[in-house]
Structure formats: structure tokens, C-alpha cells
Amino acid sequence: RGTTEAMIDWPNVTESSYEELGLKPEELQRSKCVLGFIPVIYYSVLLCVGVPVNILTAVALCRLASRTKKALYYYLLAVTGSDILSQLFIIFVGFLLETAVFHRDVPTVLLHVVSAAEFAANHASIWSTVPLTVDRYVALCHPLIHRQISYPARARKIIAAVLLLSLASGVPFFWWSDVWRDSHPPTALDAVLIWTHVTIIYFLPCTIFLVLNSLIIHTLRLRQRQQPCQEERGPPRRLGKTTAMLLALTSVFSVLWAPRTVVVIYHLYVSSVHQDWQVHLAYDLSNMLAMLNTAVNFFLYCFVSRPFRSTVRDIVLLKGGPLHPHGALPQQQAPTNASISSLYSGNKRSQRDSTPLSPRRNRKPS
């Protein structure tokens, strides 16, 4: 999720390069990194915590997906897998290895290849959330259509398409400039790449999240006003948890990535990271916030989902956990509420997995 290049104050311009460019050293003075080795410690801790919890999340989601055959789990699994790729390429390879260990003393072509891979992983991590949001919107606002079009095979195809497009979208960023070390002002190519980057990773997905989440909230409020006062309270609570989870995922992303988006645009038009230590500091901190987004989903799932917590507990305690009988598989064509609340239902597992919902709930989705 965004390239995290060098944040330690290693020299980036030699004396001979000053002379060759005909510029004075003070004209190419690199901004100081006031954080020192704090980013190295931060990213090391984030990697040591984030990768294990994301792997645990992936295993739990795989187990839940195999049991319930719900498309929802496949989308969540794609988000988790993309987060792991972001942590490996951006934090481990891009920052800790290239910068903190090798001080970027590696072939230039390799630096650009890694940069393209970082952006591809970043785009996949963010855009994997978009099909999840669309799926939840269709489930809540168009339940009959959702029953027809949402199933694991289609979800896997959509995920594969998102990953391929993300990989292709990372190719142009082979030419991304190193904002910490490039002394020249941003070029026209830099401007194109920066605007393409912030559009792909922030403006476009946030617009989709805002529109669909607003429609979901509007639909739920409209249905609540239309429900009779004596209606049972179970389904609304479950739908509330589903909506809360979706809003939490998209809101956390929007908040954590907003500072980096602002700083990148500020670097382009006002003052560069290379020359202004304050912009340098803001860029470092914004990257640290953005990367935090790769490690928080596990805690959100645990906070909201009882089935997820139970599955994680079984994995930690090395319990296999019973798989669903084949007779329960037709529930993937079950009523809308079963699909909507598969992750967030607070009902007992036996009721959720083997007992179809009543026709009364089919007619009145929350």
C-alpha cells in the first residue's frame, strides 16, 4: 500500500555529481529525517505482527469458506492475501531489505522492478475491497439478484480479474521517482504517475465506497421505517453487524490513507520531500499510517464476528473443527439473510449452518 522508501538520512548525492550538475551542495541539500531509526523499528514490529495475524486470518477464512460455501469469505480472503503481499513487497523488500539493509546499493533496474511490484500489491490490496463492497450492496439492496449472481465460482473469477488488473496497473510505476533521493523537481511524468496513483489508490475506490455505503444505509433506514413494531429483532441486529463491518473496513482505509494522499499532492505542487524536512516528516508519518491498514482487519473481524473468533480459537488450539455435511450446501441458495450475515451472525453455529431460515424472514429481509 504505497511505496515506503528510505527514511534514514543516508547520503543520496555525491560530491562528483554536484560538480557534474554544476550545482552547489546547498542547492541539493537533502531534507533531514527527524525520525531517525524509528521507521525501521516501526516497520519491523508491523511486519512481525502483521504477517502472522494475516496468515491466521487467511487460514480462518479458508476454513469458513470451505464450510459455508459463501462468496463473502472469498472476497475477505482476497483482501487478506493482498495485505500479505503488500507487507512482503512494500515493507520487507522495499523498505527493510533495499533501504535499511542494502542502503539501496542494488542495480537500478531491480529498484524499479520492485517499485512496480509494490504498486501492484498496493492496488490489489485496496481494490480487493471493492468487490466485497459491491457484493454487500447487492445483498442488502437487491437480495433476489444477489441470490442468483453471488456464488463462490463467480467470486473466484472476479478476484482473479482484480488481481490481474492490479498487476497490470503496477507496470507504469516502473518509472516512479524516488521522492526521497531525486533532487530535481517533479517532472511531467512524475505528475502523471502521482495523479494516476492517488486516483487508483484513493479517490476512485473512496468514491465507490461512499456511494455504495450511502445507498446501503439509506436502504436499511427505509426498511426499518417500513417494518411493523412487533417484528422480531434478530435480523436487524445481524444486518447491523454486517453494515458496521463494511463501514469499518472502508472507513479505516479512508482515514489511514488520506494523509499520504494529501502529502503526495503537496509534494508535487508546493514543496518537495527532498528539500523540505517538514514534508519529509509528513511523508514518513503518512506512509507509516497507510501501512498500518495492512494489519488491522484481523482485529476488526475478531471484534465483530463470533464465528471468526471461534474459528481462530480452534486454529490456535489445533482443533480441526467439524466440516458441514453435504446436506447443508444447498443453503448457498438460501434466503438473503443467510448470505448477508454469514460472517457476523451471533446465532449458534448449528442453527446457522444446518437450519434454513423461515419463509417469514425471506419475505422481510432487514
Side-chain angles (χ1 to χ4, degrees), residues 127-173:
W127 279 89
S128 294
T129 312
V130 173
L132 171 64
T133 307
V134 174
D135 181 80
R136 294 299 87 200
Y137 162 75
V138 177
L140 291 166
C141 300
H142 306 282
L144 296 179
I145 296 177
H146 183 264
R147 291 170 57 187
Q148 299 174 358
I149 67 174
S150 181
Y151 48 88
R154 173 166 289 179
R156 288 192 293 266
K157 293 179 181 179
I158 293 174
I159 292 168
V162 170
L163 294 179
L164 289 176
L165 290 174
S166 299
L167 179 62
S169 68
V171 173
F173 295 93

Side-chain angles (χ1 to χ4, degrees), residues 60 73 87-88 113 180:
Y73 294 112
Q87 291 172 334
L88 294 179
V113 170
W180 275 279

Side-chain angles (χ1 to χ4, degrees), residues 46-360:
L46 185 62
L47 190 68
C48 292
V49 174
V51 172
V53 298
N54 277 331
I55 292 176
L56 181 59
T57 302
V59 175
L61 291 174
C62 283
R63 185 172 292 187
L64 289 170
S66 66
R67 292 174 181 175
T68 63
K69 304 299 180 183
K70 301 298 180 182
L72 170 65
Y73 294 112
Y74 290 91
Y75 291 125
L76 293 174
L77 186 59
V79 174
T80 304
S82 300
D83 284 342
I84 294 174
L85 291 178
S86 295
Q87 291 172 334
L88 294 179
F89 279 107
I90 299 175
I91 299 177
F92 180 67
V93 177
F95 182 83
L96 294 179
L97 283 184
E98 281 188 357
T99 301
V101 176
F102 295 109
H103 299 188
R104 300 185 69 83
D105 187 16
V106 294
T108 304
V109 174
L110 179 60
L111 293 177
H112 289 291
V113 170
V114 172
S115 177
E118 290 174 354
F119 279 97
N122 182 17
H123 297 167
S125 179
I126 293 171
W127 279 89
S128 294
T129 312
V130 173
L132 171 64
T133 307
V134 174
D135 181 80
R136 294 299 87 200
Y137 162 75
V138 177
L140 291 166
C141 300
H142 306 282
L144 296 179
I145 296 177
H146 183 264
R147 291 170 57 187
Q148 299 174 358
I149 67 174
S150 181
Y151 48 88
R154 173 166 289 179
R156 288 192 293 266
K157 293 179 181 179
I158 293 174
I159 292 168
V162 170
L163 294 179
L164 289 176
L165 290 174
S166 299
L167 179 62
S169 68
V171 173
F173 295 93
F174 177 88
W175 293 274
W176 180 267
S177 297
D178 187 344
V179 297
W180 275 279
R181 289 175 169 77
D182 288 346
S183 57
H184 60 76
T187 63
L189 177 61
D190 294 333
V192 171
L193 290 177
I194 287 175
W195 276 109
T196 302
H197 175 58
V198 297
T199 300
I200 292 176
I201 60 97
Y202 195 78
F203 291 127
L204 189 55
C206 281
T207 300
I208 296 174
F209 297 152
L210 177 62
V211 172
L212 295 184
N213 289 340
S214 299
L215 291 174
I216 289 173
I217 294 174
H218 173 74
T219 301
L220 293 179
R221 288 178 176 176
L222 184 62
R223 289 177 180 175
Q224 288 177 353
R225 289 197 296 266
Q226 294 173 349
Q227 289 176 349
C229 298
Q230 69 273 16
E231 185 177 8
E232 60 182 305
R233 298 181 179 181
R237 280 199 301 267
R238 287 153 48 188
L239 288 176
K241 285 188 175 182
T242 305
T243 305
M245 171 59 70
L246 180 61
L247 293 176
L249 290 175
T250 54
S251 298
V252 168
F253 160 76
S254 301
V255 170
L256 293 181
W257 273 91
R260 185 181 185 279
T261 303
V262 173
V263 173
V264 169
I265 297 175
Y266 188 89
H267 157 79
L268 179 62
Y269 290 107
V270 182
S271 180
S272 71
V273 173
H274 184 274
Q275 297 177 350
D276 191 336
W277 71 268
Q278 294 176 321
V279 181
H280 192 151
L281 175 61
Y283 202 40
D284 289 349
L285 294 175
S286 64
N287 274 326
M288 294 166 69
L289 281 177
M291 288 298 98
L292 181 63
N293 192 46
T294 63
V296 298
N297 290 347
F298 170 82
F299 304 100
L300 292 177
Y301 300 158
C302 286
F303 180 75
V304 172
S305 171
R306 180 180 299 176
F308 182 81
R309 291 195 301 269
S310 300
T311 305
V312 170
R313 182 172 58 250
D314 291 342
I315 295 172
V316 173
L317 298 178
L318 301 180
K319 295 181 180 180
L323 292 176
H324 290 269
H326 292 289
L329 295 183
Q331 191 182 354
Q332 58 187 300
Q333 289 98 27
T336 305
N337 286 345
S339 174
I340 293 174
S341 59
S342 57
L343 179 60
Y344 315 103
S345 173
N347 292 344
K348 294 181 180 179
R349 185 178 301 177
S350 60
Q351 293 175 340
R352 185 186 67 249
D353 296 338
S354 58
T355 305
L357 300 179
S358 64
R360 182 167 179 251

